[in-house]
Amino acid sequence: MQHNIPLEGLDGQGRAMAKAIESCVHCGFCLPVCPTYKVLGEEMDSPRGRIILMKSVLEGALTVEEAATYIDRCLGCQGCVTACPSGVPYGDLITAYRGYAEAQRSRPALKTLQRTLVQQTLPYVGRFRAAATLGRLARPMQGILPDELGSMLGLLPETLPAAAPLPELISAQGVRRARVAFLAGCVQQVLAPEINAATLRVLARNGVEVVIPRDQGCCGALSMHTGNLDRARAFARHNMAAFPSDVDAIVTNAAGCGSGMHEYGLLFCDEEDAEAATALGASAVDISVFLMQLGPVQPGPLPAPLKLAYHDACHLAHAQKVTDPPRRLLRMISNVTLLEIPDGEICCGSAGTYNLEHPEIGGELGRRKAQNIISTGAGAVAAGNIGCMVQIRTHLKDAGVRVYHTIEVLDMAYSS
């Protein structure tokens, strides 16, 4: 696609946008894998349509506000990146464009309030726990609150698990095979601390010493993917100071966090500390990939045979191109039957904070995902991202299908 975007004076993110737009050939392979196109059926709600809109904004033919409705409805799932034969880096484009557009637009008061609440609570474990506790008390009001607030209450669990502070060091069992740092995440520590506990047990069982930096904070993905790039850089710089350099990797167990860290190169492309930020992001590796590269200890069987569906988190499968390692880990468990989910490449509708900001579309995608999981006949589903797990569990309510993190299943096999 030829463009007339003025290149003079563009920063690195601007050049990335121009490159992405130019590489699109309008073939349409992205349409069948785009969640919003599947739900809404509108060309402007497809990656191809959004690229045209972003191009028009950058060339001055449209205003940011005129394109905003369609751009906002993009989940950022990057399913189109996997499907694209031309290699359009749509993930780079949507992240950079949202940063470019954010300062030029305004939102209704309730949308602004919702975004402020999310930005000021989710990245901070203590604040989020307090907010979630208050939110649970307000759940009876969900039906009478505006969607912008009611959608936030609807995704909270019935009960919150007790706080589980993490130690600063976990020793390897037996001979030490590796030494890593661990990114603990934000939301996950509040809603599902058992995932981190299982991760640390599995790493130790595999001879891995784990450092958990006490001063670590949010990876910045939530801010980055909603256009607040300055805030994302601040979070990243905080972690650049917190994480040690004398480790083999930074292990993550949340697809969104790992993907966000991998984008540090784009986020810092014109910054003086770009090299350090890029190196930190490049050192992040998903737990499934790390274990398969290390060579995992053979797990035993589960206490009972299990038919298990595997859900591909978008920011693991599409953004990080990680699909095989989690499946290989689960297939190592002798009495697990691994099942594929129909339309498994389609987003579940969580997408960071998407199901909060767009509850109708996010809810429809969640319902479709739940129906497809149920159709497999599985007794449980495994995923590698806390947001997906919350979304899927919400829409599988009363279906009798349990929801696990991939590493929780492996931990059960090691413990049996």
Side-chain angles (χ1 to χ4, degrees):
M1 180 192 299
Q2 295 299 311
H3 63 72
N4 297 306
I5 301 169
L7 297 177
E8 298 80 9
L10 279 182
D11 61 11
Q13 291 178 0
R15 292 190 296 273
M17 286 192 282
K19 179 181 178 182
I21 288 169
E22 188 173 38
S23 60
C24 177
V25 297
H26 272 346
C27 66
F29 277 85
C30 58
L31 272 64
V33 299
C34 175
T36 49
Y37 185 77
K38 288 178 78 74
V39 170
L40 300 171
E42 294 286 343
E43 172 72 18
M44 292 300 99
D45 281 302
S46 74
R48 182 173 69 180
R50 291 185 178 109
I51 287 174
I52 292 172
L53 289 172
M54 288 185 272
K55 173 179 181 290
S56 297
V57 171
L58 294 171
E59 291 177 343
L62 285 178
T63 67
V64 164
E65 293 288 355
E66 288 171 327
T69 296
Y70 302 101
I71 306 300
D72 285 352
R73 287 203 290 244
C74 174
L75 293 101
C77 69
Q78 300 192 46
C80 55
V81 176
T82 299
C84 181
S86 301
V88 177
Y90 183 86
D92 290 354
L93 174 58
I94 192 67
T95 296
Y97 178 85
R98 282 176 168 163
Y100 165 84
E102 189 61 25
Q104 304 179 48
R105 59 176 304 188
S106 60
R107 286 185 172 82
L110 279 174
K111 287 287 186 184
T112 300
L113 174 61
Q114 182 191 54
R115 282 206 157 202
T116 301
L117 286 172
V118 167
Q119 294 279 356
Q120 293 297 328
T121 56
L122 264 65
Y124 305 95
V125 174
R127 294 183 198 176
F128 180 53
R129 175 171 292 280
T133 301
L134 291 173
R136 284 177 53 248
L137 297 176
R139 285 191 72 169
M141 301 173 58
Q142 181 184 347
I144 62 174
L145 288 173
D147 285 347
E148 289 82 357
L149 301 178
S151 61
M152 301 170 73
L153 300 180
L155 289 167
L156 289 173
E158 295 291 338
T159 59
L160 282 180
L166 295 171
E168 293 188 58
L169 181 70
I170 296 290
S171 298
Q173 294 180 18
V175 176
R176 191 179 82 176
R177 302 169 65 199
R179 182 173 186 267
V180 303
F182 176 57
L183 181 71
C186 307
V187 171
Q188 187 165 273
Q189 289 191 69
V190 176
L191 297 184
E194 64 274 10
I195 296 174
N196 284 350
T199 298
L200 297 176
R201 286 192 296 268
V202 167
L203 287 170
R205 179 71 179 82
N206 280 273
V208 181
E209 180 180 272
V210 187
V211 178
I212 304 120
R214 181 179 296 277
D215 292 335
Q216 68 174 288
C218 176
C219 66
L222 183 150
S223 299
M224 191 188 318
H225 295 151
T226 54
N228 196 336
L229 303 190
D230 287 340
R231 188 178 180 85
R233 278 188 282 266
F235 281 128
R237 288 191 176 99
H238 179 89
N239 282 333
M240 287 161 61
F243 277 86
S245 59
D246 59 341
V247 292
D248 300 308
I250 297 175
V251 170
T252 69
N253 60 8
C257 297
S259 175
M261 292 187 72
H262 289 174
E263 290 186 83
Y264 282 179
L266 176 66
L267 184 65
F268 281 84
C269 55
D270 292 311
E271 305 290 320
E272 62 180 26
D273 42 5
E275 185 175 346
T278 302
L280 181 71
S283 68
V285 59
D286 185 74
I287 177 71
S288 65
V289 175
F290 180 80
L291 287 173
M292 290 310 304
Q293 291 175 343
L294 184 69
V297 172
Q298 177 64 44
L302 295 178
L306 178 65
K307 290 184 177 180
L308 180 70
Y310 177 73
H311 164 72
D312 280 298
C314 294
H315 280 93
L316 200 55
H318 300 311
Q320 299 186 58
K321 308 305 179 189
V322 174
T323 56
D324 189 49
R327 288 174 168 83
R328 290 176 64 190
L329 284 175
L330 294 170
R331 289 192 179 109
M332 291 178 66
I333 306 170
S334 60
N335 58 347
V336 165
T337 301
L338 198 61
L339 304 171
E340 294 297 325
I341 301 170
D343 285 336
E345 75 281 3
I346 302 299
C347 183
C348 68
S350 172
T353 59
Y354 189 90
N355 51 358
L356 302 180
E357 297 196 12
H358 303 276
E360 290 187 2
I361 300 173
E364 175 59 25
L365 290 169
R367 287 187 287 273
R368 294 184 184 191
K369 181 64 69 173
Q371 290 167 1
N372 286 332
I373 291 169
I374 292 168
S375 76
T376 67
V381 57
N385 189 60
I386 181 62
C388 300
M389 293 175 65
V390 171
Q391 173 82 338
I392 290 170
R393 185 176 286 123
T394 298
H395 291 281
L396 280 175
K397 188 176 182 181
D398 302 325
V401 181
R402 290 159 288 167
V403 181
Y404 295 116
H405 192 285
T406 305
I407 294 303
E408 290 183 288
V409 181
L410 189 61
D411 180 51
M412 288 188 285
Y414 280 133
S415 302
S416 62

